Amino acid sequence: MATSSSDATHCNKTVTGYPAPINQVVSGYPAAAAAAAPTHYYAFRPLPPSSVYRPLGSNPYNYSVRPTLFYRMIIFCVAVLSIMTVLALIAYLVLKPHLPEFRVESAAVSQLNATRSELTARWIFTLVVNNPNKKLGIGYDRLEASVFYGGELGLAASQLAPFSQDKKNQSTIEFQLGAINEYVGENVVDRILRSRDRGSVDFGIRVLGWIRFRCGSLRTREHMIRVSCDPIRIAYSLHNGTGTLTGQPEKCEVY
């Protein structure tokens, strides 16, 4: 009995040294904690499962894919635009396109009659169109010619047929414009009749249209042109009442 009591006392004795025997408790640690201590150890702490596992096909860097693609598209568009601008500038410097030249070759006015505020007349014009370009042809489309008086007042208008010119080429356009009982106001009628009685009346021509330069199979985009021929002095004969262009052919402004 004495031996058993001595053995129990020896087993429950707290050890203060190191290392401790297996059947003894280290000072400061309960026996239960020592019994629950893990029997295996890791070389490093495992990462949480959420930081290791990702669904199949997911991109951990997805936040940077869209901005990068957007920036690349912008750079590509800027590069293409820059190349096209440089090519257009080179073509312009090499070809040097010039606007066509217009001049009034002949003009005549017949059947000029006026009431108190209305005008009746028929105008016949011949325009010479010159293409000064050495390397470019010109195509003309959607042309409209009008005759006016006093700088602004339109008297008659008509569409002109489209045509085209080769380089260093000249074309002639003849057209007629008519007004029948066109209301222009008493003041305008009075001014026209007074000028006719003095021997001449100044009219003007405007031509609006679209042109396109071409070089072989290449075509430029359309450009609007405005042609202004003003004044055109028409001299009247007292015998037949018909007026014709007086002086030299008038060169027109083209812009």
Side-chain angles (χ1 to χ4, degrees), residues 144-165:
E144 181 182 79
S146 60
V147 59
F148 59 92
Y149 175 79
E152 293 296 333
L153 180 61
L155 302 177
S158 177
Q159 298 289 328
L160 303 181
F163 66 99
S164 60
Q165 288 180 304

Side-chain angles (χ1 to χ4, degrees), residues 143-147 156-161 175-178 206-208:
L143 299 171
E144 181 182 79
S146 60
V147 59
S158 177
Q159 298 289 328
L160 303 181
F175 58 94
Q176 298 184 18
L177 302 173
R206 285 200 183 104
V207 178
L208 300 178

Side-chain angles (χ1 to χ4, degrees), residues 128-151:
V128 175
V129 185
N130 179 51
N131 177 14
N133 295 284
K134 298 179 180 180
K135 301 178 181 179
L136 296 172
I138 304 178
Y140 302 80
D141 194 17
R142 303 195 299 278
L143 299 171
E144 181 182 79
S146 60
V147 59
F148 59 92
Y149 175 79

Side-chain angles (χ1 to χ4, degrees), residues 34-44 46:
T39 58
H40 59 278
Y41 300 92
Y42 293 98
F44 58 92

Side-chain angles (χ1 to χ4, degrees), residues 81-97:
L81 183 61
S82 301
I83 293 174
M84 293 179 63
T85 302
V86 171
L87 292 178
L89 180 61
I90 293 175
Y92 178 83
L93 295 176
V94 172
L95 299 177
K96 296 181 180 179

Side-chain angles (χ1 to χ4, degrees), residues 27 32 39 84 115 140 148 174 182 191 196 214:
S27 176
T39 58
M84 293 179 63
T115 62
Y140 302 80
F148 59 92
E174 183 175 334
E182 183 74 19
R191 289 164 55 191
R196 184 188 64 177
R214 68 174 189 274

